[in-house]
Structure formats: structure tokens, C-alpha cells
Amino acid sequence: MKDIKQNKTVINSNINCPSTHGALRFSAETDGGKIIKFVPELGFTHRGLEKTAQNRSFSQYLPVVEKIDYLADFFYTQAYLSAAEELLEVEIPKNAQYIRVLTMELNRISSHLAWLADFAQSLGIPAPVSYAFNLRNEILNIFEKITGGRISHNYYVFGGVRNKISNDILNDILDFIKNFNQKFKILKTVMMENPVFLDRTKDLGIITTEIALPYSITGVNLRASGLALDFRKEKPYLVYNELEFIIPTAFEGDCYSRCKLRMDEIEISLNLVKQCAEWLLANQDGAINLNINQTDIKPKTGKAASWTESARGLVMCNIITDGSKKPKRLKWRTPSFYAIQLLEKIAVHCALADLPALISSLDIVITEADR
């Protein structure tokens, strides 16, 4: 009776939350529609991706890596291969590096577009949803031409990539970039100038650098708080140090800023794709892999760690080997895991009705976090 008089209610969500692309349960204690305590709970996916690595050879585990984040699989494959290639003491050819960057940046755009459609749906703004998915579908068509797959690709291999990107496909990519800019400008206007969107995102879920850093937040969620940390610039890998691009930042730290930065990143990634496509068109004679026997990968005894700036933040793969065909130990560092922990901090004092927008603004993918 005391809780009833104080108008406090504990709300338990089910484990199917559309804002998280997976099974996340949470408990929210509310007082008159305001959240006063928020507890996220993981543990419903049960895939055991790190333990699985110990029971499979390096080549057998490679296709599994793509399932960690089905929206941005190229980044995880790059992180895994980068650590393994360090242990193999090999450097992949320049053409393969450009192809990996090109496909990863296209993957960043497609991931952000999928997030944008989900975010608009969470806010009750239906117009951008189909528009964003139609643009994303054009990128999936390109992936299908390059790799044969639309979602899962298995295109990167130890020592490079499976096959070249033909001149016809590269020209298709350049044509796509020309058409994409005009279409994306319309989408950006429809979304960012919508009064409903502005009312429901400005000054909501503010994350300052003082909050973000103790929670190990990276990616857009950190850069929207004013800290321009991007590992493509901070610790360049592949050929990012040869490409021209800037790191957009914002200082408000709210849902609106996180959305705006993802919009800006789409345009920057588009420019990176253009630079890579033009370079590859001018350098088609280079090797794309080292012709390593993919079924007999046996790195030396040791340990290695890689880093990749994915669509959601810093991805790290740590591998320990004992000289056999299987990793002795493998550990992933995934950005969504840390973003989920942040909810217990920033959801407090928010209205319950704002919770879908708040969760979705962090771009959480549960398959990343719940391993």
C-alpha cells in the first residue's frame, strides 16, 4: 500500500525489444511516469561465441565471426583476421587493404541506414523507414555482386580477400554514390527537420564525456559528447592513413546529436568509398591475397590484439595461441555491451514514453553484447 500511495511502479519488459535487435530484458522502476531506476539484463542469447572459437580451427571459426553483428559483419571479420594475420606475421597486399576499406565503409552506411529506419520507427515517424531501407537495399545489391551474399558474405580470407572487384562493379559503385547523395539529402531533410523528431530527441538522454569514459563508451555515442576519438585516425590500420576524411563531433550529447553524427558519418563513408573505388580502378593489376592455404592456418605461439572502428564503436579481438590449428583463447570487445550498461545511468529521470527513443539512439545490437 505504501508503494501505491507514492505512485511507484516496477515495470518488467519482455525479452523482445525491437529497439535492440535482440533479446534484452529490463526492469524499470517508475514514479508517476518518470524512471527512477533502470536495470538492463543480458543473458538470453546463449551463443557462446568465444568458447566456440576454442573448439574450431581458425578457418572454421571465420564464418561464425560474421554472426556477432549481422548488420556490420565486415568489421568483425577484419578484427579477427587482423589479429590472426599478426600472429601469422603476414601483411596483406595493398589492393586487398583498399577492398577491405571499401566494403567496410559501405557496410557502415548500410548499418547506419538500418539503425535510422529503426530509430524512426521507435519515434513513430513512418516516412523515413521505407526510404532508409530502400537506400540500404541498393548497398546490399552491391554486396551481392561482390561477394554473392547480401547479409553474410564470407569474403575476407587470411591474407586478403577472395576475389577482385571488377571494373564494372567499381563503376556501378561510383554511379551509386552519385545517385545516393541526392536521395540521402531528401531523407536527411525529412528526418532532421521533422518537428516530432526534434521534440522527441533534443535534450533527451544526455551523455557527457564524464559519463561516457568511465563506461568505456566509444564510437558515435562518445563523439556526440565532444570527444573526437576514432581509431581510424587514432591508430590507423589498413590504408586509412592514405585517405582523406574528417571526424565529425558534437557537444550536446543528446539523442539528436547521436542521430546527426550518424547522418554525417554516412556522407563521410560515402566519400571514403569513392576514394577507394577510384584507386582500385587505377590499380587493377595488384594482388588481392597471399594464396595462403585457408584450411591449414596454424599461427605461431603467442598473443595478439586488433582494433577496428565499427559502425557502433571500437571492436577488439584478442587471441592467444599455442601453435595448434585452434585458438587457445579468444576474447571480443564489443561496443554494444558497454552501451547497454550506460542505460542504468542515463535512463534515470527520463519519461517512460521516451525509453524506446533513448535505447534506439545508442544503436545497440544484442548479438554483439550477449556472447
Side-chain angles (χ1 to χ4, degrees):
M1 293 298 293
K2 184 178 180 181
D3 287 344
I4 293 174
K5 289 179 181 178
Q6 292 180 346
N7 201 28
K8 291 183 180 179
T9 306
V10 176
I11 298 173
N12 291 293
S13 82
N14 59 29
I15 61 172
N16 296 306
C17 183
S19 297
T20 59
H21 305 280
L24 172 69
R25 176 188 177 273
F26 65 81
S27 173
E29 185 176 344
T30 65
D31 185 359
K34 292 288 184 180
I35 298 173
I36 58 176
K37 185 178 180 182
F38 188 87
V39 181
E41 184 179 331
L42 287 166
F44 297 96
T45 307
H46 305 301
R47 297 193 300 165
L49 289 171
E50 294 176 344
K51 183 64 177 178
T52 299
Q54 299 174 219
N55 300 320
R56 284 171 169 75
S57 68
F58 279 90
S59 57
Q60 288 173 332
Y61 187 63
L62 182 56
V64 179
V65 172
E66 295 188 336
K67 309 304 185 291
I68 299 176
D69 182 355
Y70 65 95
L71 290 176
D73 55 296
F74 281 121
F75 298 101
Y76 280 85
T77 309
Q78 161 61 24
Y80 172 63
L81 289 177
S82 179
E85 286 161 354
E86 181 180 337
L87 291 166
L88 289 169
E89 298 181 323
V90 299
E91 182 178 356
I92 68 173
K94 182 62 70 71
N95 281 54
Q97 294 185 43
Y98 269 95
I99 290 174
R100 285 191 183 181
V101 171
L102 182 148
T103 49
M104 282 195 294
E105 293 305 320
L106 278 175
N107 205 182
R108 191 186 309 276
I109 297 170
S110 68
S111 178
H112 283 343
L113 287 171
W115 165 83
L116 179 60
D118 177 82
F119 191 41
Q121 187 70 39
S122 299
L123 293 172
I125 308 174
V129 177
S130 59
Y131 209 98
F133 273 123
N134 285 337
L135 287 175
R136 179 173 180 263
N137 190 59
E138 294 183 25
I139 298 176
L140 300 187
N141 290 338
I142 293 173
F143 285 153
E144 189 172 13
K145 292 177 182 179
I146 296 173
T147 71
R150 297 174 66 83
I151 303 298
S152 295
H153 307 97
N154 198 21
Y155 179 60
Y156 298 173
V157 295
F158 296 94
V161 296
R162 289 195 182 278
N163 50 265
K164 287 184 177 181
I165 302 178
S166 68
N167 285 349
D168 290 341
I169 297 176
L170 290 171
N171 285 318
D172 287 344
I173 292 172
L174 293 176
D175 289 339
F176 158 77
I177 292 172
K178 293 177 184 177
N179 297 326
F180 183 93
N181 282 320
Q182 184 176 0
K183 296 176 182 178
F184 183 67
K185 185 178 180 180
I186 297 172
L187 175 59
K188 193 172 182 178
T189 301
V190 169
M191 189 75 172
M192 303 302 288
E193 297 182 11
N194 187 309
V196 175
F197 170 78
L198 295 174
D199 288 343
R200 296 203 59 188
T201 57
K202 290 233 172 184
D203 301 322
L204 172 67
I206 295 175
I207 303 172
T208 63
T209 52
E210 290 76 15
I211 295 174
L213 291 176
Y215 279 88
S216 297
I217 301 300
T218 55
V220 170
N221 295 331
L222 177 62
R223 292 192 286 274
S225 305
L227 185 57
L229 178 63
D230 188 315
F231 283 82
R232 293 175 294 176
K233 287 283 191 181
E234 188 73 18
K235 299 182 75 174
Y237 52 96
L238 297 176
V239 291
Y240 277 111
N241 60 336
E242 299 180 14
L243 302 172
E244 296 181 3
F245 64 103
I246 61 171
I247 305 301
T249 56
F251 297 90
E252 293 80 6
D254 56 5
C255 292
Y256 176 84
S257 297
R258 291 190 282 277
C259 182
K260 184 179 183 303
L261 285 193
R262 289 190 179 96
M263 294 281 200
D264 293 341
E265 278 203 352
I266 287 175
E267 295 175 331
I268 290 169
S269 292
L270 208 64
N271 183 45
L272 287 171
V273 171
K274 182 175 182 290
Q275 293 179 59
C276 290
E278 290 174 344
W279 189 93
L280 288 168
L281 278 170
N283 297 272
Q284 275 289 305
D285 296 332
I288 57 164
N289 59 56
L290 300 175
N291 294 318
I292 296 174
N293 185 345
Q294 300 295 314
T295 61
D296 191 31
I297 303 299
K298 192 183 294 185
K300 66 175 185 179
T301 301
K303 58 183 178 180
S306 66
W307 56 89
T308 304
E309 184 72 29
S310 80
R312 269 158 282 286
L314 175 62
V315 171
M316 294 185 68
C317 182
N318 298 271
I319 302 177
I320 299 176
T321 57
D322 56 7
S324 69
K325 290 186 178 182
K326 300 178 181 178
K328 181 180 180 181
R329 184 75 173 89
L330 186 144
K331 178 70 175 176
W332 287 101
R333 191 265 186 214
T334 60
S336 288
F337 178 81
Y338 300 93
I340 288 172
Q341 316 311 316
L342 188 62
L343 286 170
E344 66 181 12
K345 180 79 173 180
I346 64 173
V348 176
H349 304 309
C350 287
L352 188 62
D354 289 330
L355 194 56
L358 177 59
I359 294 175
S360 188
S361 75
L362 296 176
D363 195 8
I364 292 169
V365 173
I366 296 300
T367 54
E368 264 197 339
D370 197 350
R371 298 182 293 280

